[in-house]
Amino acid sequence: MATETVVHTALTLTDQLPALQIVVPFVAAPLIVLLGGRRWAWPIAFAASLASLVIAALLLASVLDGSIISYHMGGWAPPVGIEYRVDAANAFVLLLVSAISTVVLPYARTSIAREVSERHHALFYTAYLLCFSGLMGVAITGDAFNVFVFLEISSLSTYVLIAQGAERDRRALTASYDYLIMGTIGATFFVIGIGFLYMATGTLNLADLADRIADKGDSRTIRAAFAFIVVGIGLKVAMYPVHRWLPNAYTYAPSAITAFLAATATKVAVYVLLRFVFSVFQPAFIFEVHTLEFIILPFALVAMFACSFVAVFQSDFKMMLAFSSVAQIGYILLGISFLNETGVTAAVIHLFNHGITKAALFMAVGAYVYSAGGSFYDTMQGLGRRMPLTSAAVVIAGLSLIGVPGTAGFISKWVLVQGALEKGWWPVAILIVGSSLLAVIYIWRVIEVLYLQPTPEDSRVREVPMSMLVPIWIMTLACIWFGLNTDMTMSAAQAAARGLLAGSAGMMGQ
Amino acid sequence: MDNRTPDNADTYPALGRAFLWLDRPGGAKAVRYTLFILCALLIVADFVFYKKGYLPIEEFPIFYALFGFFSCAALLICSVVMRVILERPRDYYAPTDGALEPSPQEQAAKVDHHA
Amino acid sequence: MLDALPTAFLFFLAALILPILPRGPLRSLLVLIVPVVAGLAVYALPMGNLVQAEFFGFTLDLMRVDPLSRVFALLFCIAAFLGGLFAWHLRDTVQQVAMLLYVGAAIGAVFAGDLVTLFFYWEGTAISSVFLIWARRSEASYFSGMRYLTIQIGSGVMLLAGIILHYSATGSIAFDAMTLDSPASWLIFIAFGIKAAFILLNNWMIDAYPSATVTGTVILSAFTTKLAIYALARGFAGTELLIYIGAATAVYPLIWAQLENDLRRVVAYALNLQQGFMFVGIGIGTELALNGAIAHAFVGVLYGMLLFMTLGAVMYRTGTSRATDLGGIYKTMPLTALFCLVGAASISAFPLFAGFVSKSLIISAAAKGSHYVVWGCLLLASAGGFLVCGLKVPFFAFFSKDGSLRPREAPGHMLLVMGLTAVLCVLAGTNPTALYALLPYDVSYQPYSTGHIITQLQLLLFSALAFALLLPTRLYPRPNPTVNLDFDWVYRRLLLGAIGLLAIPVRGFFRALDRFKAGPLKALIRTLYNTYGPMARTSQFWPTGAMVLWIAILLGVTLLVSYAS
């Protein structure tokens, strides 16, 4: 372990922030069950989420200058003890996850009340908090095996949450089952990869791993570890062609869960991928460059087009967005595969911008489900006049998904195109623009359904209540805000990219 | 607003009835002769009163009368000639051009002119 | 108290409040009260640059009060009051709001001490006023409004271009007297000229005024062109070119006005002709001439509104303003007929009526400057204008042949406002010193001399004689229900035709595109649908085994790549 990192002597509450980040939601989850009341389930979940958000904001503020917080769990120094490390990259992810959760929860209260029967509510919010703390844990921990544990915590609770959609559509069970199989295989691969790493280096601390890999250099074991970890996490990321669990899971999960997962779960997985590919393994390894160039890059491009085409032809708004998510993950992976600072910046910033955009859109889907009883295009006909606020949000967030200037989506695609041009890969740049045109088509289809088709005469659809509208619009306005004001997102993403690309050096702080 | 009340002069406003002589035979003639007389008086006046002018041509006797009469006559005749060149059917620019709005005689359905 | 608030904002404020008020007389009252308050405020304003604002590093003068801007602001307040009273019956929120915004923008433009502010209000008048045309809610008025808007915005864009050039050349945005010596001042000059309806730039006026609503026309006639007169007087007083433009503008509409059937268009032509007089006055640029131009603008608003009001009342009652459809309605609308005659006498400059005291100022100034040809043109325009507006309009609207029309007399508020305007016209004509006192320059001028009265009466009555003698013959161009080609043919037909030529290759391109759409593109979409559509493999549920197989394949490939490299 690098000695120049400030050893963390936890004396005040502020110093305990990294632990509190996880402990608060983690303790709140069983609290709901213990109190047993449905009445207290939501307030507790919300309070925990809000507290996490505040902590995450404080953490990000303190690492934005490029410094690193290293927190030793239980006072055991790494590499023996478990270490929580906060730097710009994961503080950013922590903030995203907790912010999305805090915005989604008020929405979930109304939406879930209609979609999930009341007797399940207490357990539902417990599972939600577990999933949430799992995701936060994955992001914050500095220990490879700990990553696996938190990943499993979040995955297992995710399977439960997705299965809650069964009350509306029994296919949620199949979707959940499929995800369970795939997720388990992915986790297994991941843990196998970590096993290989342990075999090769004898440590599990990420920073330490990075150091030793850098020292030891390339070996067959490390190569095998790399392949297993990339594929294992690739599954969680929903990398094409092992993405197939995602559309079903997103489509049949309860709306609030879809919004939360779409904005956070895959994003956290992407973070893990970044962490391993760039920090743990040396980006200079030739096998890594080749893997990125010959596997990630082509599959990312295929995802951008194939899934966009599928989205174009969908007749279910939610399913369409789910496939669009896979396509958008393609952009993120594309940015990673550029292996330059601009590309990774684009990946990180798109991770954030796509998160808020999709959160807004999936919440809007939930609004249609809430009011009109479904998200198929024929149930949504002409609802632009009946649900003007929701539909306006769909239009704006849709523009952000396309990447229209003035919206958040534009910023990330712009940086991505720049990254491609920096590499001299102008055909890739053209493909990025081309697949954005497909987004124009599938978003236009929604707008056409909402605004250009007549409202059925007997339609009694009303605008959804404020508790749903406000979260939708917070996310929608965020799409515009981060499209116009890029200081915060850009500087954080650049700091994160710089730290990541520095390889093991980036793990030691400056 | 009914444009077709039975034409009874007693229903006209008092001021309107006072002008009715204009419509009677000879009414228009009376107006015209009054005009002739006024014109004649003005010619006489031109020689009686002093008029101050800035331009030499204004000194010419009854210059303004001549100018008024001949320029207007020329203008009218010129217009008649020009019309041959300029006149077009009223749907020339567009089938719904302003000139095509139905006249009160043509329109059966009432349109809202109060707007 | 009102010193700190630009007068224009009073109107904008009222436009904001108006939609909140209940529909009905309360709104009409608001439209009526605001000009009174504004007028009183303007009257009491001290001279100087009263309100300034910072805007992108420019210091904007929102309230430059001097004698020139004050007289126009007062005039606009009076016109707004008269227009508001005429529109008392109106229950159309769009028109009422547009009216307030329009008046506010016009007054704001008059008080603008710098070119940037001027530009904003300049565009403001264009955008707000077009709603008075569109409020007619007919297809014809829609297209007419579009043409109007295009031309007005065009004027604004030229103004902006001029301002930018002017600023980059001089570093100043002050709106002061300019000379035509740079592209900047030329652009600004032409921008002003479009709004002022220079010859060949005038067709928007003829096109738009009669297309507006009954009340809209009355309002429109008072502001846009007079605002441009103000701008010309401020920026280009003494520009010799204006004299010739003015003379040409004064003569040009005569023939078209003779041929025109729609009497509201005839009045628009006649008002256009009066603009020519004002250009001449501004172009001569002496204090006498400038006073004449401003006085003429002042009374021009009054009689222009009066004429449009009387024809508006006729239209309100009968639904038409076409000479061929009207006639003989003096019997049932005698007061309206009388007011129309007052307006006709005023525009024709009959002694004792408003036009006389202002027109003579300009003609005298032209004669004093020995502008022979110009003087002749103005005389011709006077005689011809009388022929058109003094004789043709009242004759064909109210007398002429007796049709079957027996409309009721105009509504009370219209009679009231027409009477009021008529009285103002007569007052201005009989009491010229009061009018002259409002003008920015001190000039002693006596319009009423025996000689002048006699010559003016000769000119007018002998014109009437020509009318009377030719009317029964075929030498008089009786109105026909037709369209007469004017200069707007160039852009409504010629330019359109040219664009049509341009369209041929474009059409060819789209034909080819259509063929492509029908053939290869359709096939492509079908293929895509078969591959990616809801029924296709990619979007169907995959069996779990297939998914796992893919994982295995991916892992294998990744391992292979890792090991091979």
Side-chain angles (χ1 to χ4, degrees), chain A residues 297-316:
Chain A
L297 173 79
F299 277 131
L301 290 175
V302 173
M304 278 158 51
F305 279 90
C307 292
S308 294
F309 273 124
V310 175
V312 165
F313 290 114
Q314 279 303 324
S315 52
D316 180 356

Side-chain angles (χ1 to χ4, degrees), chain C residues 404-436:
Chain C
S404 56
L405 290 174
R406 293 288 178 265
R408 279 195 292 138
E409 182 56 279
H413 66 275
M414 287 192 184
L415 287 178
L416 181 67
V417 65
M418 288 190 287
L420 192 62
T421 321
V423 167
L424 283 176
C425 282
V426 174
L427 272 183
T430 49
N431 191 9
T433 33
L435 175 66
Y436 293 165

Side-chain angles (χ1 to χ4, degrees), chain A residues 178 181-182 185 189 220 223-224 227-228 231 235 239 241-242 244 248 287 290-291 295 299 306 309-310 313-314, chain C residues 525 528-529 532-534 538-542 544 547-548 550-551 554-555 557-559 561-565:
Chain A
D178 275 342
I181 302 282
M182 306 291 282
I185 295 174
F189 279 15
R220 290 221 158 188
R223 287 184 183 202
F228 272 96
V231 175
L235 245 158
M239 188 172 122
V242 290
R244 206 50 196 81
N248 292 334
F287 68 83
H290 281 182
T291 308
I295 296 181
F299 277 131
F309 273 124
V310 175
F313 290 114
Q314 279 303 324
Chain C
I525 289 177
L528 283 175
Y529 185 80
Y532 299 107
T538 35
S539 55
Q540 288 282 300
F541 254 110
W542 285 7
T544 317
M547 293 193 209
V548 176
W550 269 109
I551 299 175
L554 188 66
L555 180 68
V557 173
T558 313
L559 278 171
V561 170
S562 292
Y563 275 55
S565 47

Side-chain angles (χ1 to χ4, degrees), chain A residues 187-255:
Chain A
T188 314
F189 279 15
F190 181 64
V191 86
I192 291 173
I194 289 174
F196 280 134
L197 281 184
Y198 188 65
M199 209 160 89
T201 61
T203 181
L204 283 174
N205 182 284
L206 290 178
D208 211 27
L209 267 173
D211 270 351
R212 296 198 190 178
I213 291 173
D215 286 347
K216 275 185 139 85
D218 185 7
S219 77
R220 290 221 158 188
T221 326
I222 287 178
R223 287 184 183 202
F226 181 76
F228 272 96
I229 287 175
V230 166
V231 175
I233 292 297
L235 245 158
K236 291 299 227 183
V237 173
M239 188 172 122
Y240 197 89
V242 290
H243 66 286
R244 206 50 196 81
W245 58 269
L246 184 140
N248 292 334
Y250 281 13
T251 307
Y252 300 114
S255 309

Side-chain angles (χ1 to χ4, degrees), chain A residues 110-134:
Chain A
T110 315
S111 165
I112 292 301
R114 186 159 293 194
E115 291 183 25
V116 176
S117 69
E118 211 184 336
R119 66 199 166 89
H120 291 150
H121 280 188
L123 290 172
F124 177 87
Y125 285 111
T126 310
Y128 178 90
L129 272 187
L130 282 175
C131 176
F132 173 67
S133 37

Side-chain angles (χ1 to χ4, degrees), chain A residues 168 367-376 379 461:
Chain A
R168 280 191 58 248
Y368 292 117
V369 173
Y370 183 89
S371 282
S375 59
F376 277 92
T379 45
V461 174

